[in-house]
Amino acid sequence: MSKAVNVEDIFAKNVFTIGKMKEYLPKEVFDEVMTIRSQGGELPLHTADVVANAMKDWAVENGATHFTHWFQPLTGVTAEKHDAFIKHPDEEGRCLLEFSGKELIKGESDASSFPSGGLRATFEARGYTAWDMTSPAFLKEDAIGVILCIPTAFCSYKGEALDMKTPLLRSMEAINTQSLRLLRLFGNTTSTKVTPSVGPEQEYFLVDRNKYLKREDLIFAGRTLFGAPAPKGQELDDHYYGNIQERIGGFMHDLNIELWKLGVTAKTQHNEVAPAQHELAPIYETANVAMDHNQLVMEIMKKVATRHDLACLLHEKPFAGVNGSGKHNNWSLNTDDGINLLDPGDSPNGNLQFLLVLSCIVKAVDVHADLLRQSASCVGNDLRLGGSEAPPAVISVFLGEQLEDIVRQIIEFGEASNLKENVTIRTGVSALPDFEIDATDRNRTSPFAFTGNKFEFRTVGSSDSIGSPNITINTIVAEAFSEACDIIESAEDKKSAIHDVITDNFTAHQRVIFSGDGYSEGWRKEAARRGLPCLESMVDAIDTLNDEKTARLFEKFSIFTKAELGSRAEILYETYVKTINIEANTMIDIVSRQIIPAVSGYSGRLADTVNNMLQAGVKPMVQMGLLNDVNTQLTEVDEALVKLKFLLENVSEIGDIKEKAYYFKDNIIPAMAKLRKPVDNLETIVDKRTWPLPSYADLMFEV
Ligand code: ADP
Ligand code: MG
């Protein structure tokens, strides 16, 4: 039995919350911090000193020995470098603790080993981290002790963004400004701030750690590079929402406690579709905090799993043949006085503000479908997207029956006078309440679906940062809002201008709206006919960052310069090449040092048996057949191995990084598949006791 927990007592125990700031700071300093937090600006050094000191006192009272600027470089994971609070001992040898305002608000690090995509030469390797005051400081507790973590943004010596945080904050400013403009058109004078709210649902797999450690592919690539299907997959749908096993329950319990202490609102937990797959969803919060918290969720999942002798796999496709993992990015826009711009209200057909917002989002997604696709691409996601389980590689919008009907009326008649009513389902049991079918329904195959009062971007990969998708959504919607406001603000008759913009947006961009089955072959053809981009691979999507259209978008709102976009493209090509290279080398290693020796040993024993039987005067029919079979497959393994090695050797001839990425996609990946096939065939015929790797059944069904 797990220990009882009082959530109210432990929630945010390790966070320097606003409440704690109020308690530890003099009133004027607290007020100053709050003003800068909400309105922006820089903290003066003398104020920062007071805040830093208070933060240190609180941290030390809670056992902290070090502090760190905690940031998100473009490696996809977080980075930290710890410094103890100690300062030079005094004459009597006493060591006092210190944490200055300067150390709090700005850090300088030799950041030459972080990816910069050519933005930063090693001779100007300095990088700066700066405190993101809108994301609270927190304490990380583990074997290393207690560390005070300051969420920070990371940029180069010249101010170019080298992380996810900086552009995300810039995009939040853009959407704030443009949303306020839009609200003012409707006479709103009370809202002073609009922030994107994000709730990322996180999928993951848990496997036994001892089995995990027996698989180099899981260790180095995060996914299985070999593996014959288990006799049972997910066909019975008995895992989805299934009863949670004790061992997994113990993990979830500890995970929740760790997350709650960090102020992460872990809310929902359940088993997912694939065996050994699970999900955690937090309550939505401001985009930058949601991003920080999602990074913590991923990190803590891995840590807690180890404590339970489990390994947490965040890869998008750890196992072939069963569902992969994604991250549903739920997104909405909320004002500081409680209005959700995506709330359709009771009569969406007459809600002009909502319709304008909706039409702008539809336009944004259509105009920048390629960029949106790019924003959710990572190497692992290539194995998941389009696999009849996750959204297709074509980006489309799902609105649900009621809204789609409204859009149709607007396009046809310029307004929507009819509202399709919700259907009430009668349960027919007096003790059960009747309920209304949600007008927005569910369409699990859609990449960008309206779900009640938010959009759910389902394309994002499970291991990826939610930074890129949210930077992109915020900015493309800001652009559409700004273009709408330009027209409406300068019109004589504002009301009719609003009507016109709504109609024009829906009319011009209706091709991106799709409510059918996103997995079907028919949709691929239809999407092509509609002219929607279909970017199959991450490699195909990267160049979108170098588009004129993309540069115009991001430069307009000062989010990325052309150079920053170019650097990000380069980093992505590099990441792709390095990742596939690691996978290919891991395959070579496993085959050369584990599979071939094991299978050779097995066929040697088979040959002995054959000889013994012949000597004994018995015909070794089955054994001969098997021996031949094993030998044929092993020969195929060897040929494929030689080919893969040869192709890898040729990589050094290619200088251009984009060309290299395509070489990996078009040559190395097919060669890897060729190697996998005979190995997986062998797994199904070779004696299980001699097979060197835990099988799919071992990994997914014996957790
Ligand atoms: P599901 O999609 O699995 O049915 P929900 O839609 O209730 O579950 O919530 C999924 C996620 O969406 C949660 O993280 C939740 O906090 C978040 N969410 C709910 N409402 C909003 C909103 N208005 N804006 C952003 N995220 C939201
Ligand atoms: Mg959802």
Side-chain angles (χ1 to χ4, degrees):
M1 272 292 281
S2 297
K3 286 185 300 287
V5 252
N6 184 329
V7 183
E8 286 181 13
D9 283 349
I10 61 167
F11 191 80
K13 183 175 155 279
N14 288 348
V15 185
F16 197 57
T17 55
I18 292 178
K20 288 190 191 110
M21 250 198 293
K22 201 170 187 173
E23 187 185 322
Y24 279 79
L25 290 176
K27 178 150 188 341
E28 359 29 285
V29 175
F30 173 76
D31 290 343
E32 198 175 341
V33 170
M34 292 308 286
T35 311
I36 296 176
R37 257 178 64 103
S38 62
Q39 292 167 18
E42 254 183 62
L43 208 57
L45 206 52
H46 60 274
T47 316
D49 278 331
V50 181
V51 179
N53 202 46
M55 218 184 249
K56 180 210 72 192
D57 286 347
W58 165 76
V60 171
E61 275 167 32
N62 286 284
T65 53
H66 293 70
F67 71 92
T68 182
H69 277 199
W70 183 77
F71 58 102
Q72 299 168 37
L74 298 169
T75 51
V77 288
T78 55
E80 50 194 80
K81 177 185 94 183
H82 305 162
D83 278 302
F85 289 120
I86 56 171
K87 64 177 191 181
H88 206 277
D90 65 12
E91 281 143 24
E92 292 171 31
R94 268 178 316 190
C95 177
L96 295 176
L97 301 188
E98 184 186 53
F99 182 44
S100 70
K102 208 165 139 247
E103 287 170 310
L104 165 66
I105 52 180
K106 202 167 184 185
E108 187 185 321
S109 66
D110 172 10
S112 53
S113 294
F114 291 113
S116 78
L119 271 184
R120 186 169 24 81
T122 27
F123 61 86
E124 42 174 54
R126 270 176 303 177
Y128 288 105
T129 49
W131 182 27
D132 168 14
M133 285 177 66
T134 54
S135 185
F138 57 92
L139 300 175
K140 254 205 225 175
E141 284 176 312
D142 55 31
I144 205 171
V146 181
I147 313 286
L148 170 67
C149 299
I150 323 260
T152 52
F154 178 49
C155 25
S156 77
Y157 181 57
K158 289 188 190 138
E160 292 126 337
L162 297 175
D163 68 348
M164 285 296 173
K165 181 57 86 66
T166 313
L168 179 63
L169 292 172
R170 290 174 187 162
S171 76
M172 288 168 67
E173 277 182 35
I175 192 77
N176 173 45
T177 311
Q178 301 310 323
S179 300
L180 285 174
R181 260 180 93 188
L182 187 144
L183 284 174
R184 301 287 180 255
L185 295 175
F186 293 88
N188 176 322
T189 52
T190 49
S191 305
T192 61
K193 192 164 184 182
V194 178
T195 35
S197 299
V198 173
E201 303 163 55
Q202 176 74 47
E203 293 178 337
Y204 61 97
F205 280 83
L206 287 175
V207 298
D208 182 87
R209 183 166 164 80
N210 290 320
K211 291 176 191 151
Y212 166 90
L213 291 174
K214 292 201 177 95
R215 296 205 51 138
E216 263 181 45
D217 49 1
L218 287 180
I219 296 173
F220 295 130
R223 71 172 176 110
T224 56
L225 296 165
F226 300 103
K232 179 183 170 185
Q234 61 189 46
E235 58 275 63
L236 293 179
D237 287 327
D238 51 352
H239 195 256
Y240 192 53
Y241 284 11
N243 190 5
I244 295 168
Q245 264 193 56
E246 283 264 315
R247 186 172 183 196
I248 305 302
F251 160 86
M252 288 180 172
H253 180 76
D254 277 0
L255 173 66
N256 286 333
I257 292 177
E258 293 298 326
L259 292 175
W260 289 330
K261 282 201 270 184
L262 288 166
V264 177
T265 49
K267 166 112 177 144
T268 309
Q269 60 197 23
H270 61 82
N271 285 349
E272 256 299 330
V273 174
Q277 192 187 29
H278 315 278
E279 180 182 302
L280 178 145
I283 299 175
Y284 64 95
E285 48 196 346
T286 310
N288 62 324
V289 181
M291 173 171 82
D292 286 356
H293 281 171
N294 182 249
Q295 290 290 347
L296 282 176
V297 166
M298 294 193 285
E299 184 182 323
I300 309 272
M301 274 178 171
K302 296 205 152 194
K303 232 178 239 180
V304 174
T306 310
R307 274 188 226 153
H308 286 254
D309 272 331
L310 294 163
C312 172
L313 309 178
L314 291 171
H315 194 281
E316 286 71 20
K317 194 78 181 175
F319 303 101
V322 298
N323 268 23
S325 300
K327 188 137 52 189
H328 292 179
N329 189 88
N330 294 273
W331 179 93
S332 66
L333 286 173
N334 295 277
T335 69
D336 52 349
D337 52 354
I339 305 165
N340 176 359
L341 272 63
L342 272 77
D343 185 354
D346 290 336
S347 40
N349 53 333
N351 184 344
L352 285 186
Q353 181 179 304
F354 170 74
L355 290 174
L356 181 60
V357 168
L358 188 72
S359 75
C360 285
I361 295 177
V362 168
K363 170 181 174 182
V365 175
D366 184 34
V367 171
H368 296 289
D370 48 356
L371 185 61
L372 209 49
R373 163 72 181 88
Q374 187 285 318
S375 78
S377 53
C378 60
V379 188
N381 224 7
D382 272 9
L383 297 163
R384 168 180 167 257
L385 297 180
S388 289
E389 48 161 294
V394 179
I395 300 286
S396 63
V397 177
F398 173 78
L399 294 180
E401 213 182 318
Q402 190 183 58
L403 288 182
E404 230 181 89
D405 183 57
I406 292 173
V407 171
R408 186 191 48 79
Q409 292 178 58
I410 291 175
I411 292 171
E412 220 166 300
F413 313 112
E415 63 175 354
S417 46
N418 273 320
L419 182 63
K420 265 199 175 173
E421 284 302 332
N422 293 344
V423 184
T424 303
I425 299 276
R426 309 232 171 264
T427 55
V429 179
S430 58
L432 295 178
D434 295 337
F435 52 86
E436 271 197 353
I437 296 187
D438 193 334
T440 53
D441 202 0
R442 290 273 145 173
N443 179 333
R444 291 180 58 92
T445 69
S446 175
F448 204 83
F450 187 74
T451 46
N453 60 3
K454 60 181 162 61
F455 270 100
E456 192 168 329
F457 186 29
R458 303 195 178 114
T459 311
V460 186
S462 50
S463 69
D464 211 4
S465 159
I466 57 166
S468 252
N470 286 297
I471 293 164
T472 304
I473 299 173
N474 292 342
T475 314
I476 62 177
V477 174
E479 182 188 58
F481 281 2
S482 134
E483 285 165 2
C485 291
D486 286 347
I487 297 171
I488 300 164
E489 281 166 0
S490 62
E492 293 270 312
D493 180 351
K494 300 244 174 333
K495 191 143 187 219
S496 81
I498 290 172
H499 274 283
D500 290 349
V501 171
I502 294 172
T503 310
D504 291 350
N505 281 350
F506 282 136
T507 309
H509 302 286
Q510 53 182 308
R511 66 173 186 169
V512 81
I513 301 174
F514 176 67
S515 56
D517 178 5
Y519 297 166
S520 67
E521 192 45 41
W523 169 232
R524 296 177 79 83
K525 291 195 186 114
E526 168 66 10
R529 195 192 57 78
R530 293 188 191 186
L532 300 175
C534 176
L535 300 166
E536 294 284 356
S537 151
M538 159 176 179
V539 185
D540 301 323
I542 297 174
D543 234 1
T544 312
L545 292 175
N546 292 319
D547 264 8
E548 276 306 314
K549 182 183 72 174
T550 304
R552 265 201 313 278
L553 167 79
F554 284 122
E555 288 193 327
K556 174 169 178 177
F557 298 102
S558 308
I559 287 158
F560 288 124
T561 60
K562 241 184 173 156
E564 284 173 312
L565 286 167
S567 81
R568 269 161 214 254
E570 194 166 322
I571 292 170
L572 289 171
Y573 284 128
E574 271 169 14
T575 307
Y576 186 85
V577 166
K578 286 177 188 163
T579 308
I580 306 293
N581 191 45
I582 292 171
E583 291 190 346
N585 281 317
T586 306
M587 285 186 104
I588 292 172
D589 199 57
I590 293 177
V591 168
S592 311
R593 301 195 308 125
Q594 292 187 278
I595 306 289
I596 294 181
V599 177
S600 303
Y602 176 66
S603 37
R605 285 192 298 282
L606 261 182
D608 287 347
T609 309
V610 167
N611 284 331
N612 289 341
M613 288 176 77
L614 284 172
Q615 263 179 22
V618 191
K619 262 196 176 168
M621 302 275 284
V622 176
Q623 293 78 355
M624 271 302 255
L626 187 54
L627 186 58
N628 274 325
D629 232 10
V630 168
N631 209 40
T632 312
Q633 297 289 347
L634 195 59
T635 312
E636 216 178 289
V637 169
D638 188 57
E639 282 166 10
L641 181 67
V642 170
K643 177 85 192 291
L644 180 59
K645 281 184 179 167
F646 169 78
L647 288 170
L648 280 174
E649 272 161 25
N650 286 350
V651 171
S652 56
E653 320 251 302
I654 310 168
D656 181 65
I657 189 67
K658 178 177 169 185
E659 209 179 300
K660 216 183 235 179
Y662 271 103
Y663 180 81
F664 272 85
K665 175 170 108 54
D666 297 333
N667 297 288
I668 304 292
I669 288 183
M672 285 163 63
K674 271 234 160 70
L675 179 54
R676 175 173 183 151
K677 199 164 152 273
V679 172
D680 288 0
N681 287 342
L682 279 167
E683 189 185 348
T684 62
I685 52 175
V686 167
D687 184 349
K688 179 166 168 61
R689 286 163 302 183
T690 64
W691 194 254
L693 309 172
S695 69
Y696 270 26
D698 299 334
L699 287 164
M700 285 190 281
F701 291 93
E702 296 175 24
V703 187

